[in-house]
């Protein structure tokens, strides 16, 4: 039996494995759930299955049951529900009791991974290891893979990916940029600088969304911020946190904290919602580490999504109009985790000619969720189709969003449905409007 497992409240015999050691779901958090069910209509997996255990309330009950030694941590049903959850945090955003659901599911996954290597199915483990420990950690390897992928996409050799068992990854992969934008100690000066921004480059953005980085730099300059892109930064660790690999996430986080401290920048700007959410939560990631807690808390206070920054700056009026119907897909980690709902819409409404039409369920997860669309293909596809249907109903020709995962997932869904609408980052549209 696990040493730290608490006695069962009903006095019955304890199960073999409960939570133990660091990074466990907090009883203070799961006991805050009053089982009201107000979160259920916001939960994508509940809406798709209409099953209690596939919703937040059911998952919290499962976590509590393991915490109270009524359910074995290694049980298949527990692992299945922890991995089926998208960690989209929609439940957290609407909960009247303030249940911090993200902390529960992320630490529950960490506990499962530590308790039993087999707690994670082999296919998921292989994908996680390949992406996290191999690809995202080695920029040179990432560049080589991006070059190969770009060649395959341009020559249509991508159709052969199925022979290597990579058909799904090839289908979902974003189109690789013509020229990359990697962090290489670049300095972009504003004409009359009022501050300095650190631009978070990320793992995928430099290779598949380089144009978003360039647009971000130009927009920040227009707003009076000089921009630094230090080479010493790296992956934010979001995918590691979602995969329950907290120790690895901390390793990655330390690089970014050190890089920001050394940069002398005033604000840490992020144009990928998933990364921004993870970076703002370094404070929680290091809460129990005396030597890093203060540095992480100071760092997190300075992190801002680019839409927050631009919305707060005094920008001149855009000089060009964009004559198009646009709908906005709210990334979960912007709207639910960071609670930024209006800034992207306000920025879009500044653009002359642009007609912003709201889609239904704009804030419902599109099924991307980090590497969820690779590890949970069936549910990811269902949510992707649901999102594409909502977009098509608006007749928009452009889908605006603010996260690379959403952009890739929505674009793949639109392609599969034969819809010609394009997907752009809010900042790309703004940059176009400023000429
Ligand atoms: S809304 Fe909050 S308190 Fe109510 S069931 Fe969901 S998690 Fe529990
Ligand atoms: S994080 Fe998302 S998928 Fe998971 S329980 Fe909450 S709303 Fe449902």
């Amino acid at each position: 039996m696990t040493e730290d497992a608490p006695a069962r409240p009903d006095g019955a015999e304890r199960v073999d494995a409960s939570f133990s050691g660091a990074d466990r779901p907090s009883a203070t958090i799961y006991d805050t759930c009053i089982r009201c069910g107000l979160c259920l209509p916001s939960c994508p997996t509940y809406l798709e299955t209409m099953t209690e255990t596939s919703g937040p309330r059911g998952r919290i009950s499962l976590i509590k049951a393991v915490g109270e030694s009524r359910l074995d941590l290694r049980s298949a049903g527990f692992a299945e529900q922890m991995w089926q959850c998208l960690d989209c945090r929609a439940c957290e955003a609407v909960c009247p009791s303030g249940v911090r659901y993200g902390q529960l599911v992320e630490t529950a996954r960490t506990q499962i991974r530590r308790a039993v290597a087999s707690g994670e199915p082999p296919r998921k483990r292989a994908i996680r290891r390949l992406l996290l420990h191999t690809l995202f950690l080695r920029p040179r390897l990432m560049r080589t893979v991006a070059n190969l992928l770009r060649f395959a996409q341009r020559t249509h050799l991508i159709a052969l990916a199925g022979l290597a068992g990579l058909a799904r990854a090839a289908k979902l992969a974003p189109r690789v940029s013509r020229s990359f934008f990697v962090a290489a100690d670049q300095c972009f000066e504003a004409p009359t600088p009022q501050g300095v921004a650190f631009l978070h480059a990320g793992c995928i953005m430099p290779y598949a969304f380089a144009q978003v980085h360039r647009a971000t730099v130009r927009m920040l300059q227009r707003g009076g911020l000089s921009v630094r892109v230090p080479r010493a930064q790296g992956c934010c660790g979001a995918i590691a946190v979602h995969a329950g690999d907290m120790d690895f996430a901390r390793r990655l986080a330390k690089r970014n904290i050190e890089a920001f401290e050394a940069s002398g920048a005033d604000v840490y700007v992020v144009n990928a919602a998933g990364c921004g959410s993870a970076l703002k939560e370094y404070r929680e990631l290091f809460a129990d580490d005396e030597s890093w807690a203060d540095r992480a808390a100071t760092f997190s206070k300075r992190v801002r999504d680019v839409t927050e920054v631009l919305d707060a700056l005094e920008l001149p009026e855009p000089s060009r109009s964009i004559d198009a119907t646009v709908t906005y897909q709210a990334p979960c980690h912007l709207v639910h985790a960071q609670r930024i709902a209006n800034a992207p819409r306000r920025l879009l409404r500044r653009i002359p000619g642009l007609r912003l039409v709201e889609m239904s369920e704009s804030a419902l997860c599109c099924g991307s969720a980090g590497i969820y669309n690779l590890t949970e293909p069936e549910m990811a596809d269902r949510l992707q189709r649901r999102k594409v249907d909502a977009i098509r109903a608006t007749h928009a020709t452009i889908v605006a969003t603010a996260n690379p995962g959403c952009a890739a997932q929505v674009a793949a869904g639109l392609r599969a449905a034969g819809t010609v609408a394009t997907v752009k980052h809010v900042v790309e549209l703004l940059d176009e409007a400023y000429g």
Side-chain angles (χ1 to χ4, degrees):
M1 187 179 299
T2 311
E3 242 175 63
D4 302 351
R8 278 188 55 162
D10 56 8
E13 200 176 320
R14 296 189 298 185
V15 295
D16 282 343
S18 179
F19 302 131
S20 61
D23 300 316
R24 17 178 160 178
S26 160
T28 316
I29 297 177
Y30 58 66
D31 281 339
T32 313
C33 176
I34 53 169
R35 302 192 51 76
C36 64
L38 287 176
C39 51
L40 299 182
S42 302
C43 174
T45 55
Y46 179 79
L47 290 176
E48 282 295 319
T49 61
M50 296 312 256
T51 308
E52 175 70 14
T53 46
S54 288
R57 187 172 59 186
R59 292 188 178 119
I60 292 168
S61 295
L62 291 175
I63 293 169
K64 183 175 162 74
V66 175
E68 293 175 352
S69 300
R70 290 181 281 111
L71 177 68
D72 198 303
L73 170 62
R74 297 164 303 185
S75 65
F78 182 64
E80 187 193 337
Q81 277 310 327
M82 293 306 107
W83 296 116
Q84 193 204 62
C85 169
L86 294 137
D87 197 7
C88 69
R89 317 261 294 263
C91 48
E92 194 174 309
V94 297
C95 175
S97 286
V99 173
R100 284 166 45 222
Y101 179 84
Q103 194 277 347
L104 296 181
V105 74
E106 287 159 10
T107 49
R109 288 173 179 178
T110 303
Q111 293 282 324
I112 292 169
R113 278 199 344 95
R114 285 183 192 158
V116 262
S118 60
E120 192 179 15
R123 179 185 135 78
K124 289 176 194 171
R125 193 161 61 244
I127 293 172
R128 187 174 51 76
R129 285 212 173 134
L130 174 71
L131 292 179
L132 289 187
H133 294 264
T134 310
L135 206 50
F136 289 169
L137 206 55
R138 294 183 173 81
R140 276 197 196 149
L141 181 62
M142 183 67 114
R143 183 188 277 266
T144 305
V145 170
N147 273 318
L148 285 172
L149 184 58
R150 180 170 54 188
F151 176 73
Q153 286 175 340
R154 303 272 190 276
T155 57
H156 303 291
L157 282 174
I158 197 77
L160 299 177
L163 299 178
L166 296 171
R168 183 170 177 83
K171 193 177 79 172
L172 291 170
R175 194 152 176 84
V176 178
S177 304
R178 272 182 198 286
S179 66
F180 300 152
F181 185 112
V182 294
D185 292 330
Q186 300 95 320
C187 297
F188 302 93
E189 299 305 334
T192 44
Q194 289 152 37
V196 178
F198 180 119
L199 177 63
H200 178 75
C203 310
I204 305 286
M205 298 288 291
Y207 305 104
F209 298 93
Q211 76 284 3
V212 177
H213 277 346
R214 294 193 178 97
T216 299
V217 169
R218 286 189 291 266
M219 285 309 304
L220 291 173
Q221 286 177 304
R222 286 180 185 116
L225 293 176
S226 295
V227 184
R228 306 279 179 266
V229 198
R231 189 191 299 270
Q233 63 177 301
C235 173
C236 65
I239 293 179
V241 170
H242 294 183
D245 202 341
M246 297 290 189
D247 296 328
F248 188 58
R250 289 189 184 99
R251 233 176 98 192
L252 298 171
K254 286 177 184 172
R255 279 201 310 197
N256 292 325
I257 295 172
E258 285 170 342
F260 182 57
E261 288 172 348
S263 74
D266 305 300
V267 58
Y268 193 105
V269 179
V270 194
N271 54 21
C275 304
S277 160
L279 291 154
K280 284 182 178 179
E281 289 174 2
Y282 280 2
R283 183 191 352 232
E284 284 78 26
L285 196 60
F286 289 100
D288 296 327
D289 180 339
E290 272 181 24
S291 52
W292 281 86
D294 287 347
R295 289 170 77 178
T298 306
F299 172 87
S300 286
K301 271 191 223 151
R302 309 276 281 278
V303 178
R304 294 285 182 281
D305 184 78
V306 65
T307 58
E308 269 183 292
V309 176
L310 295 176
D311 188 45
L313 288 172
E314 284 188 18
L315 289 166
E317 287 305 307
S319 55
R320 291 187 186 176
S321 65
I322 296 179
D323 184 17
T325 302
V326 177
T327 191
Y328 174 64
Q329 147 65 18
C332 301
H333 282 82
L334 199 61
V335 64
H336 305 314
Q338 299 185 55
R339 311 288 164 93
I340 299 172
N342 296 325
R345 291 177 167 93
R346 271 196 296 267
L347 291 172
L348 290 170
R349 287 199 189 99
R350 282 190 190 192
I351 300 174
L354 186 149
R355 295 173 298 282
L356 183 62
V357 181
E358 288 293 335
M359 69 172 87
S360 65
E361 301 181 338
S362 165
L364 195 80
C365 183
C366 61
S368 169
I371 53 174
Y372 187 94
N373 54 3
L374 295 175
T375 58
E376 299 285 338
E378 197 214 314
M379 183 59 77
D381 285 354
R382 286 165 70 170
L383 293 169
Q384 185 189 52
R385 283 194 294 273
R386 190 173 178 127
K387 183 62 65 184
V388 167
D389 288 347
I391 291 168
R392 291 176 78 160
T394 65
H395 303 290
T397 52
I398 299 174
V399 182
T401 191
N403 188 50
C406 308
Q409 174 84 346
V410 169
L414 292 171
R415 272 197 306 274
T419 306
V420 288
T422 52
V423 182
K424 294 195 175 190
H425 195 291
V426 171
V427 173
E428 272 182 283
L429 288 167
L430 261 188
D431 182 52
E432 256 177 76
Y434 280 88

